Amino acid sequence: MFDGHGHLIAKRYHVANLEKSMTDGAHLVAAILAAAPSGTDMVGTHPLADPTRQFGDGVLRMDPASCRDFPLDPGGPGLLLIGEFVDATRAYCSRGQLTGELARWDELGLEVVGALEMESVALDETTESLAGKAADAVALRRGYAPPYQFVGDPRELSYLDDLNRACEAMDVPLECQHTEFMYLLETSLRPTTGVRIADNAALYKNVAKLL
């Protein structure tokens, strides 16, 4: 599932639980939706961060239509299912809210088609070197300059190849890529329909950070 900041929140299940996860659903602590952008703390004012709720579980149902390969699993290619909360926790679940809105459009006889443009900056840092740094002191990798030029840096080309292969394996089709101003890499995703528009964008975002 994706939290409110677009972070991919994962739970490993044995394949024997596959059918159950798509019918009865799986259980996941609802307070995960109260996560702060850091991913390590909670937003104290979020209703689901209230300790009086005893941090109970919500029911997370996997969407069969979201099924796709996940090539970055350390144990080998895995199977990825994306889900959403279907109990009272759904009110705080971004994917649950989206599918609810899409259902309203469907009732009107309308189909939502779209794609997102993703922009990212590669950092010449490690997790350790970033600790305590101010934003204006962060070192950027310079392989994506100047704008609209061929990427010639072997390190950057290797990264792009790995990223594009991972997207292809996950069925996240890319339309085009190019360098942008301020050392940005811009990637346009190919148009699709419904909740897959958001799923593809969120998966691209997370995989781009993992590689």
Side-chain angles (χ1 to χ4, degrees), residues 198-210:
D199 283 349
N200 284 355
L203 284 172
Y204 175 90
K205 171 184 175 179
N206 281 272
V207 170
K209 290 181 178 181
L210 286 171

Side-chain angles (χ1 to χ4, degrees), residues 4-44:
H5 311 291
H7 299 149
L8 182 60
I9 307 298
K11 188 171 184 176
R12 293 178 182 273
Y13 265 85
H14 192 279
V15 69
N17 296 314
L18 184 61
E19 183 178 357
K20 184 176 183 292
S21 74
M22 294 186 288
T23 53
D24 300 338
H27 289 267
L28 187 69
V29 62
I32 197 70
L33 293 174
S38 65
T40 57
D41 302 298
M42 288 192 291
V43 177

Side-chain angles (χ1 to χ4, degrees), residues 64-87:
S66 74
C67 183
R68 53 183 93 199
D69 290 337
F70 188 68
L72 303 183
D73 193 298
L79 187 68
L80 177 68
L81 285 168
I82 303 172
E84 57 202 52
F85 284 99
V86 294
D87 59 345

Side-chain angles (χ1 to χ4, degrees), residues 1-5 29-37 41-55 85 88-94 97:
M1 61 155 288
F2 300 107
D3 68 10
H5 311 291
V29 62
I32 197 70
L33 293 174
D41 302 298
M42 288 192 291
V43 177
T45 55
H46 195 289
L48 296 179
D50 182 0
T52 63
R53 296 174 59 94
Q54 300 181 341
F55 301 116
F85 284 99
T89 311
R90 181 178 181 143
Y92 306 97
C93 174
S94 56
Q97 294 171 13

Side-chain angles (χ1 to χ4, degrees), residues 116-119 174 176-178 185-189 204:
L116 281 87
E117 177 185 285
M118 312 298 290
E119 293 184 343
L174 309 183
C176 60
Q177 288 175 315
H178 63 84
L185 170 67
E186 181 177 301
T187 300
S188 297
L189 305 185
Y204 175 90

